[in-house]
Amino acid sequence: MTRLSIVHKTAYKYNRRVTLSYNEARMTPLTDGQQVVLEASLKVSPNQASVSNYRDYWGTRVTAFDMQMPHESLEVLATATVEVHRTERVATEDDIVGWDVIASEKVQDEFSDWLPQSRLSGPGEEVLEIIPDIVKGKNPHEAAMAVFAWMAGEMTYMKGTTGVTTNAEQAWSQRQGVCQDLAHLAIGALRCSGIPARYVSGYIHPRSSADIGETVAGQSHAWLEWWDGEWRSWDPTNHKPAGDYHVTVARGRDYRDVPPLKGILSGGGGSGLSVSVEITRLA
């Protein structure tokens, strides 16, 4: 178990005055079977914003706020303290279902959100031709692990070569990308095999050797979960399951369902953006 304190700040400085804006923030971690949110807050500046909270279709905690007054900057400060206690069970034959179960009407209906390709997960014709040979003769769990091993040998983590609208096919054509691109490609490869898979966004503490009480520059991060009889996690950037240093904020079909901050505004004329994530291990 780890206890992590997270401070996530996003600030916009607009080139011209914004007259009004409508925004949604997905920065508050979830409480689920593997983590508990002990405390959380989200503050918006200027503080005249009208704020409300709800859970979206995917179960994500959303803070919606609109600013109907002229403003030249916007800052969103999200803080949380989370206890993480992930247990990734070793798969056994009793846990893993066969392809017949995955193809059954019941499973197809239950996981209908996680089986079709989304706008960002479609891996393209080349990958669609490669994957059948990789998963041939394997059960769903073995197939997923084979896909991850194949990706580890083909893809390189590289900043600055992709953006939030880059899809899995584009990342594959470059053989590189950041965490969200690797997650999208893995999800697309699993889905084209018939395995339910979903995108996970959150935070990661990058240094397990950090002392308790030491604040480090953390990261927003993306990984995935797939189902082979039970939900399992995989972080394709780090080539391992999500662990006690991963904090889940949102799940969705792809990045478009879980952006940390999005909105529409009138005015602005462009903006400068600064983002920082600080994580402190408390226990």
Side-chain angles (χ1 to χ4, degrees):
M1 185 274 288
T2 60
R3 182 178 296 172
L4 302 173
S5 171
I6 302 161
V7 179
H8 181 182
K9 182 166 70 174
T10 301
Y12 289 93
K13 179 67 176 178
Y14 300 113
N15 296 332
R16 294 197 300 271
R17 180 173 295 179
V18 172
T19 55
L20 58 87
S21 66
Y22 300 90
N23 310 272
E24 290 183 346
R26 288 169 171 82
M27 298 181 181
T28 304
L30 297 172
T31 290
D32 59 21
Q34 296 179 317
Q35 65 183 40
V36 176
V37 178
L38 302 179
E39 57 183 359
S41 69
L42 190 144
K43 298 179 180 179
V44 179
S45 179
N47 59 14
Q48 296 95 332
S50 174
V51 180
S52 61
N53 296 278
Y54 70 95
R55 287 189 182 269
D56 67 12
Y57 175 81
W58 313 105
T60 303
R61 298 173 65 177
V62 182
T63 300
F65 58 96
D66 59 87
M67 304 179 69
Q68 301 190 35
M69 79 294 290
H71 53 284
E72 298 176 348
S73 63
L74 171 66
E75 181 178 293
V76 180
L77 179 65
T79 62
T81 302
V82 186
E83 278 190 355
V84 187
H85 41 88
R86 297 188 186 280
T87 54
E88 195 75 25
R89 294 199 308 123
V90 176
T92 67
E93 289 187 5
D94 293 334
D95 300 327
I96 301 165
V97 301
W99 294 108
D100 58 332
V101 174
I102 283 183
S104 68
E105 183 176 345
K106 177 183 177 182
V107 170
Q108 294 285 308
D109 180 63
E110 182 177 355
F111 299 111
S112 59
D113 288 325
W114 315 120
L115 285 163
Q117 298 292 4
S118 65
R119 188 181 304 174
L120 297 181
S121 74
E125 290 300 322
E126 186 176 355
V127 173
L128 292 177
E129 293 176 0
I130 292 171
I131 295 301
D133 288 335
I134 292 174
V135 305
K136 185 177 180 181
K138 299 176 175 64
N139 65 37
H141 181 81
E142 294 167 340
M145 299 309 295
V147 166
F148 302 147
W150 163 74
M151 275 191 57
E154 295 285 347
M155 296 293 291
T156 301
Y157 180 88
M158 183 68 66
K159 292 182 178 180
T161 59
T162 58
V164 295
T165 60
T166 301
N167 61 32
E169 182 175 8
Q170 293 166 331
W172 168 252
S173 69
Q174 301 176 167
R175 300 300 195 275
Q176 60 188 20
V178 294
C179 57
Q180 72 184 41
D181 304 303
L182 301 180
H184 285 147
L185 179 59
I187 289 167
L190 293 173
R191 287 175 179 168
C192 77
S193 305
I195 298 173
R198 60 194 184 192
Y199 184 96
V200 186
S201 71
Y203 303 106
I204 186 170
H205 188 303
R207 186 156 54 87
S208 60
S209 61
D211 293 333
I212 291 177
E214 179 182 353
T215 298
V216 301
Q219 301 169 4
S220 294
H221 196 52
W223 59 99
L224 66 102
E225 294 172 340
W226 90 98
W227 190 85
D228 61 10
E230 62 181 68
W231 284 106
R232 306 182 192 277
S233 67
W234 191 259
D235 179 349
T237 301
N238 294 296
H239 312 297
K240 63 181 182 180
D244 281 359
Y245 289 83
H246 291 71
V247 176
T248 301
V249 172
R251 296 178 174 94
R253 294 164 297 183
D254 60 27
Y255 173 83
R256 293 180 308 128
D257 289 332
V258 299
L261 185 62
K262 68 176 182 179
I264 57 174
L265 54 81
S266 177
S271 63
L273 170 65
S274 63
V275 179
S276 66
V277 178
E278 295 181 340
I279 302 182
T280 306
R281 183 184 171 196
L282 303 178

